[in-house]
């Protein structure tokens, strides 16, 4: 799948206004940007943990879909995230890299940083259950 | 802290309308309910993973605050969650139980089920960094 | 399966001398004891983290086997553990409780304490891939 | 710290014969090899999960020590590992990369592959509590 195809898939799958922009896709990785708005703000002027977790989950999902195609329905089975630095209130980018894509499970590494610099703000490992193909 | 005190703390800390109701607090545990609305819906008629993760994070936070008091500012350092069953579209309850409260870290176990029955829909372990007291 | 059956299965599956004693099995839980010896010692007079992780993994495995029977070959797909307190150098007990047993995945909660008292020394969530039955 | 210094530190810290060889150290990463022997074998001719977890833990520990120096005593607070592929019975290499080194916590990403090829056999995220310096 290419960038417009993945964005179209995302917009169709989640009718509600998702604040995510697909910025790139390669062999094993997808790059997704969260357009930060007031709903993501936490006291102290940072992006909320739940906003970062939702972004990581979506980037991992798209990384799997980018590999197995738009028809499949993958389901998150687990997510582990370490929060590393408090991000400033700017857009956040997640790069999801497929570590394994088996017949039953897909595992994705997700690195999150802001558009301000490359310092990681969080790092996640996410597992998906792959439907029978 | 008691239930009204914890709810008041929650409402003050997050000025945005949080959909969480504190239902109980005991020695080591806090019970928090997510009033599910359309923003939590995922295709297939289930509650979204991000909504469950945000609920688990908040329940763990309140379990720590319930122990160390309302002045402290704890920060989530990591969250691990296993998704076990797809919940129906009803309110979800999270029970956060403090496993450890050290001078630097607090670790909380969070069990999530719906108001429909006691079957776990997800289970999390969440770690907080405790500020110097 | 009962206690002697599970112990026999364990001894047969791992020909090397495993230091584990099955102490109990109920509907969803298995209780496994690590007979601590010098190979488990870490400087400072505590049980090593790897010994605790290996115990948690084995307890989770037996909790799954206790449910699906001795013929099946389950494989660990992920393990998350929080270390809570440094245990003294006495035997450690792990209680593995099956949270979910689906057709493809089993998820087990594992609580570890020593025979000295009930204070948790570590808490894990372990996922197994279940072979087709 | 350099490779001989880190190996010396490792050998001194763990008087028991550890099967680990420090192969490299750079700014943020340490490369550690497990010399696989019969104690690491699992039925089916693969390296056991506990051997991989112990290796990941040690590589993460050395990555932190490589940064803060040999005097400090860091303690593992949590470990998350995804098992991706069953390794053949050859030596396994772990590359531990420091993601964050704060005043209280260090977080390390650990990638494991065998000497046979670069395919990941497991991927971990490990957190250490850093003693006051």
């Amino acid at each position: 799948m290419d960038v417009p195809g993945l964005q179209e898939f995302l917009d169709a799958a989640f009718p509600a206004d998702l604040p995510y922009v697909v910025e790139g896709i390669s062999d094993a990785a997808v790059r997704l940007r969260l357009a930060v708005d007031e709903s993501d703000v936490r006291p102290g002027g940072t992006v909320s943990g739940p906003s970062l977790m939702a972004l990581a989950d979506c980037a991992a999902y798209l990384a799997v879909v980018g590999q197995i195609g738009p028809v499949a329905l993958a389901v998150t089975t687990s997510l582990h995230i370490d929060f590393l630095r408090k991000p400033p209130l700017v857009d956040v980018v997640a790069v999801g890299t497929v570590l394994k894509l088996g017949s039953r499970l897909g595992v994705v590494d997700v690195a999150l940083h802001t558009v301000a610099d490359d310092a990681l703000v969080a790092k996640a490992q996410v597992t998906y259950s792959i439907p029978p193909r």
Side-chain angles (χ1 to χ4, degrees), chain A residues 23-96:
Chain A
E23 292 200 329
I25 176 168
S26 66
D27 262 16
V30 162
R31 183 184 160 102
L32 187 69
R33 182 161 54 85
L34 164 66
V36 167
D37 67 21
E38 60 271 18
S39 71
D40 302 303
V41 179
R42 263 297 181 278
T46 189
V47 179
S48 81
S51 292
L52 297 178
M53 293 191 284
L55 172 64
D57 185 42
C58 190
Y61 178 63
L62 290 183
V64 169
V65 167
Q67 301 266 321
I68 64 177
V71 292
L73 188 65
V75 176
T76 314
T77 58
S78 77
L79 182 145
H80 174 80
I81 188 165
D82 286 302
F83 298 96
L84 304 170
R85 291 169 190 84
K86 287 197 175 188
L89 271 177
V90 295
D91 286 3
V92 183
V93 170
V95 178

